[in-house]
Amino acid sequence: MKADVLLGLQWGDEGKGKIVDVLTPKYNVIARFQGGPNAGHTLIFDGKKHVLHTIPSGIFRDNTLNVVGNGVVVDPVIFKKEIDALFERGVDPTKSLVISRKAHLIMPTHGLLDAASEQAKGKAKIGSTLKGIGPTYMDKTGRNGLRVGDIESPHFKERYEALRAKHVRMLKQYPEYSYDLSQYEDAWLAAVESLKNFKLIDSEHVLNNALNDGHGILAEGAQGTMLDIDFGTYPYVTSSNTITAGACTGLGVAPNKIGEVFGIFKAYCTRVGSGPFPTELEDATGEKLREAGMEFGATTGRPRRCGWLDLPQLKYAVMVNGVTQLCMMKADVLGEFDEIQVCTHYMHNGEKIDYLPYGINPDEVQPVYETFEGWPGDLTGLRKVENIPASLMSYVRMIEDVVGVKVSILSVGPDREQTLLLNPDLA
Ligand code: GDP
Ligand code: IMO
Ligand code: MG
């Protein structure tokens, strides 16, 4: 067996949580491989909405093992809140959720360092979710970090205090930033204790054994390709590899054990936080997209920046991820428009190009649009592939032709049921 991967092809919030939930019945294991509580994955079914941050999106389905992989960074306090919310929904995750010992812990001081660094950057801030993601990955690569497996050690508290002291020294670099650490620490230490209610595993063994036993694994990405630390719009990115390769390092699954790669994109584009976004619409059309798509962050509630679909960007994401199947989300939202614009090329140094160059700031690329016929009307009741409007189908075919990969899933609303499977193998 090989592990399939599902990840975002744009700037995050493409609808990964929804599609993981839809596909979960086909798999035995759902495994998050990077990111942490900066993610907000929304699932809607039976008329109820649920947002997951650290916990894999397979958690609501029976007979599924949900793995928090080694590449993830875990904030015990947020994790505990997520667990409590699951119990409130009548879901007991203690048996179906396991955590890699090699996952890193986000400490309260990581959050403080994140906030202090952002404050010091002023206008140049990344627009971080302030969950401590960057500082935690810095400690990981700097070889200072605390891992989930360390909570089993009798020296945990000492190690925590040593790293906290280092962070406090670092915070002195930001004299204008004031904070009160005591306010967070007790809750954090208590939440660390409650992590012990879950089975801590050596996830690389568990996952490879599962594959050897013929069990299906779906690796769930967080963020999106344009937020990847290497291939995103650096420095306006997150601090992990969000691309397919991140599933290998974030789970311990070898590259030759990766099977299908599901790449998810919205029928338009959004971004939350700072950084370049070539097709951004800072006008009434952008506002209309935001309202129709309810584009407000699932983690921070911030309004998302909105714009048209960007094909050079999408092609780039398909390339670096080795996408084998596409999922197009939010087709219903474009039902608000008679005509739709799509960026097919960029003007770059006076030349018309169809690829993503090194820099995509406004002075480096200017989008070139083509107009396509829309599919005005309400699509949210659409359930049959044969009833897909012709203009929507030709939009899909146009994208497939440009990026060279077929659209397997078409999403026409946030609910689990509002999903059309164009690839009959998924039915
Ligand atoms: P994720 O981070 O990739 O899991 O995506 P988010 O949950 O942050 O954001 C996606 C948002 O779009 C959520 O509010 C979903 O409920 C919603 N959504 C997902 N698919 C569709 C769709 O096809 N149509 C509409 N209108 N909303 C959708
Ligand atoms: P999901 O998994 C959208 C953005 C932040 C900021 C940048 C860095 O729900 O798609 P960080 O907190 O990681 O240091 O922030 O990345 N960002 C996301 N944007 N969806 C996400 O996750 C995101 N996670 C981080 O807004 O611009
Ligand atoms: Mg999200």
Side-chain angles (χ1 to χ4, degrees):
M1 250 345 233
K2 293 194 170 187
D4 294 345
V5 181
L6 182 146
L7 42 70
L9 298 181
Q10 295 162 325
W11 280 274
D13 301 330
E14 295 89 351
K16 297 174 290 293
K18 169 181 165 164
I19 298 300
V20 170
D21 171 59
V22 166
L23 293 177
T24 297
K26 300 194 166 305
Y27 295 90
N28 305 92
V29 181
I30 306 296
R32 269 282 301 270
F33 59 87
Q34 45 68 235
N38 48 350
H41 295 181
T42 313
L43 284 69
I44 301 184
F45 55 91
D46 299 340
K48 283 191 199 137
K49 173 173 155 172
H50 202 98
V51 181
L52 296 166
H53 300 287
T54 322
I55 295 173
S57 300
I59 199 71
F60 290 102
R61 303 281 199 175
D62 293 336
N63 305 319
T64 307
L65 181 68
N66 290 272
V67 177
V68 175
N70 59 277
V72 175
V73 288
V74 179
D75 181 329
V77 174
I78 296 177
F79 185 79
K80 186 171 179 306
K81 281 196 192 136
E82 289 189 68
I83 298 298
D84 292 346
L86 286 175
F87 274 110
E88 274 166 34
R89 279 275 313 242
V91 176
D92 177 353
T94 36
K95 295 269 178 314
S96 56
L97 178 60
V98 295
I99 313 169
S100 171
R101 288 194 175 89
K102 294 193 172 81
H104 278 245
L105 286 171
I106 303 177
M107 293 166 46
T109 38
H110 285 129
L112 298 176
L113 285 163
D114 205 358
S117 156
E118 283 284 82
Q119 183 180 304
K121 281 192 164 124
K123 272 196 168 158
K125 71 174 182 187
I126 309 292
S128 154
T129 60
L130 304 180
K131 304 293 176 197
I133 304 295
T136 306
Y137 279 116
M138 281 164 71
D139 270 339
K140 174 178 178 174
T141 52
R143 296 157 297 177
N144 298 309
L146 276 182
R147 299 191 291 180
V148 167
D150 296 333
I151 70 175
E152 297 172 312
S153 156
H155 305 294
F156 177 71
K157 192 85 191 291
E158 263 163 66
R159 298 204 38 212
Y160 166 74
E161 280 167 3
L163 190 51
R164 181 194 55 185
K166 180 169 190 238
H167 291 161
V168 168
R169 287 194 297 277
M170 288 164 75
L171 281 161
K172 292 208 166 80
Q173 291 169 43
Y174 304 101
E176 69 293 353
Y177 180 75
S178 57
Y179 61 91
D180 172 15
L181 181 54
S182 62
Q183 160 190 354
Y184 308 108
E185 209 160 33
D186 288 349
W188 191 83
L189 289 167
V192 163
E193 280 307 304
S194 66
L195 274 183
K196 294 178 183 163
N197 296 333
F198 293 86
K199 196 167 167 193
L200 308 184
I201 60 164
D202 299 322
S203 53
E204 62 278 30
H205 288 298
V206 170
L207 294 169
N208 282 288
N209 289 343
L211 290 178
N212 291 338
D213 291 345
H215 294 156
I217 297 178
L218 181 63
E220 173 178 1
Q223 290 80 56
T225 304
M226 299 313 288
L227 293 172
D228 180 90
I229 182 75
D230 283 282
F231 298 104
T233 50
Y234 192 88
Y236 299 100
V237 293
T238 192
S239 300
S240 64
N241 280 117
T242 62
I243 59 169
T244 304
C248 296
T249 56
L251 295 176
V253 170
N256 62 354
K257 297 272 173 60
I258 299 293
E260 296 296 319
V261 179
F262 294 97
I264 303 216
F265 68 102
K266 284 179 189 168
Y268 49 98
C269 272
T270 64
R271 167 164 210 170
V272 59
S274 326
F277 178 4
T279 61
E280 181 172 15
L281 296 162
E282 290 176 280
D283 59 8
T285 310
E287 191 57 44
K288 192 168 158 183
L289 274 172
R290 180 157 43 249
E291 267 174 33
M294 294 200 279
E295 296 295 357
F296 297 89
T299 295
T300 58
R302 291 177 292 176
R304 295 177 182 143
R305 302 157 63 191
C306 296
W308 297 118
L309 186 67
D310 183 337
L311 289 176
Q313 181 277 309
L314 192 65
K315 249 194 317 188
Y316 181 77
V318 165
M319 173 182 82
V320 296
N321 287 299
V323 171
T324 62
Q325 305 195 41
L326 290 166
C327 311
M328 188 172 96
M329 312 301 288
K330 295 204 154 185
D332 56 305
V333 173
L334 291 187
E336 296 285 326
F337 297 85
D338 294 329
E339 283 186 338
I340 293 160
Q341 309 273 340
V342 174
C343 166
T344 57
H345 296 79
Y346 299 133
M347 289 310 293
H348 174 61
N349 297 333
E351 202 193 327
K352 192 172 166 188
I353 60 168
D354 64 358
Y355 62 90
L356 196 90
Y358 176 69
I360 58 165
N361 285 308
D363 59 335
E364 292 164 314
V365 298
Q366 298 80 43
V368 177
Y369 292 105
E370 250 181 62
T371 304
F372 291 85
E373 191 191 334
W375 45 92
D378 182 3
L379 222 60
T380 55
L382 187 68
R383 295 292 178 275
K384 290 204 172 104
V385 173
E386 57 270 29
N387 295 339
I388 297 175
S391 49
L392 169 52
M393 214 52 223
S394 59
Y395 190 77
V396 167
R397 296 291 175 238
M398 175 277 293
I399 295 166
E400 292 177 340
D401 286 348
V402 172
V403 308
V405 179
K406 288 267 182 212
V407 174
S408 290
I409 296 179
L410 181 66
S411 177
V412 295
D415 194 279
R416 204 187 247 179
E417 304 295 323
Q418 292 167 315
T419 313
L420 289 101
L421 304 175
L422 307 190
N423 173 359
D425 293 345
L426 295 177

